[in-house]
Amino acid sequence: MDQTTRKLISEFSPMWTNREIWEFEQINEDLTFDAAYAEPGNFESWKSKSSHPDSDIRGMVVRTFDNFLEGNELWIANKDEGKLDKKYVAYLMSVIVDIMIEEEICLNFRMENDCLVAIIDEKADVIDCKEFFEEFYHLATGFNFNTDTGIPDDETEAEMYLIRLQEEFDDKMKNKLGDKYMPGNNDPDTLNAKD
């Protein structure tokens, strides 16, 4: 994890669990932000062709995921303000990381010109990835990296190993966070949908 990201996480810690995100979104319905992608170090305008004004961040990031994969930075500000209120920083970081957990893609975050900026961390290894996602209460196993992660080759053994890892991680986070943490860092809607 790069030092700027580590510092920002530390400044806004503790990061929000999915339960806290869900509760916040229940109170703040239709919460939208202005967002724009730009080449690293080359942000020009909120009116560029890669801008997404008045966007639900979760939906917009999922729809435009290729922009991240192409190496672009994502800039986020309050709607029509060109800057971000600090009260939304931990929320936005947590939402974006929750989107990235399935692919186990680590991000670098920074504040610039009073905006939150996110970009894929190209230098992250398995250890960085585990450390990064643990800050957001997610289990990262490193399955997308070309290194020996200790996951058995046999599919049944691998599944048992990953279930055990998740259970141990859930216990650890439950002890640390209490009721704020839900198994797998899910939100109430997701847990209820699984029933």
Side-chain angles (χ1 to χ4, degrees):
M1 194 172 359
D2 81 351
Q3 292 307 310
T4 305
T5 302
R6 187 183 306 277
K7 188 176 174 193
L8 196 61
I9 288 172
S10 175
E11 181 181 344
F12 289 96
S13 279
M15 290 291 107
W16 292 18
T17 64
N18 281 354
R19 180 183 189 135
E20 291 170 295
I21 292 169
W22 181 85
E23 289 169 349
F24 185 76
E25 289 174 342
Q26 300 307 300
I27 296 166
N28 299 280
E29 291 182 40
D30 304 320
L31 186 61
T32 60
F33 298 88
D34 287 344
Y37 285 99
E39 291 179 10
N42 198 23
F43 177 78
E44 292 176 4
S45 165
W46 293 104
K47 300 193 184 310
S48 72
K49 63 178 178 155
S50 296
S51 66
H52 302 273
D54 193 15
S55 291
D56 164 71
I57 290 300
R58 187 181 299 274
M60 188 276 305
V61 169
V62 169
R63 282 192 323 275
T64 62
F65 189 69
D66 285 348
N67 287 289
F68 265 129
L69 295 178
E70 290 165 6
N72 292 302
E73 296 177 330
L74 174 62
W75 287 65
I76 305 172
N78 288 16
K79 182 179 155 191
D80 298 327
E81 292 182 27
K83 62 182 182 177
L84 182 65
D85 189 318
K86 285 199 169 194
K87 71 180 181 181
Y88 296 118
V89 174
Y91 163 76
L92 287 166
M93 288 171 66
S94 299
V95 166
I96 295 168
V97 167
D98 186 51
I99 296 165
M100 298 297 159
I101 182 61
E102 193 167 320
E103 300 299 325
E104 295 194 359
I105 293 176
C106 300
L107 298 171
N108 287 327
F109 289 108
R110 71 178 188 279
M111 293 298 295
E112 187 172 323
N113 297 333
D114 295 320
C115 297
L116 178 65
V117 183
I119 188 169
I120 289 178
D121 184 351
E122 301 285 347
K123 297 177 182 167
D125 61 17
V126 173
I127 304 302
D128 292 328
C129 194
K130 286 181 72 61
E131 181 184 35
F132 177 78
F133 282 105
E134 281 196 16
E135 289 292 335
F136 296 88
Y137 319 116
H138 289 290
L139 173 67
T141 55
F143 66 82
N144 282 345
F145 295 92
N146 295 327
T147 54
D148 181 13
T149 57
I151 299 173
D153 291 331
D154 178 76
E155 194 174 326
T156 305
E157 288 178 26
E159 190 173 336
M160 288 170 33
Y161 174 81
L162 292 172
I163 288 169
R164 191 186 83 234
L165 267 184
Q166 183 68 58
E167 288 171 350
E168 288 171 1
F169 183 81
D170 286 342
D171 287 345
K172 175 180 160 187
M173 290 300 156
K174 191 81 172 150
N175 288 335
K176 181 177 178 179
L177 299 167
D179 288 342
K180 287 199 260 180
Y181 183 79
M182 300 185 88
N185 196 20
N186 286 300
D187 59 65
D189 287 341
T190 306
L191 285 179
N192 292 334
K194 289 179 180 176
D195 293 344

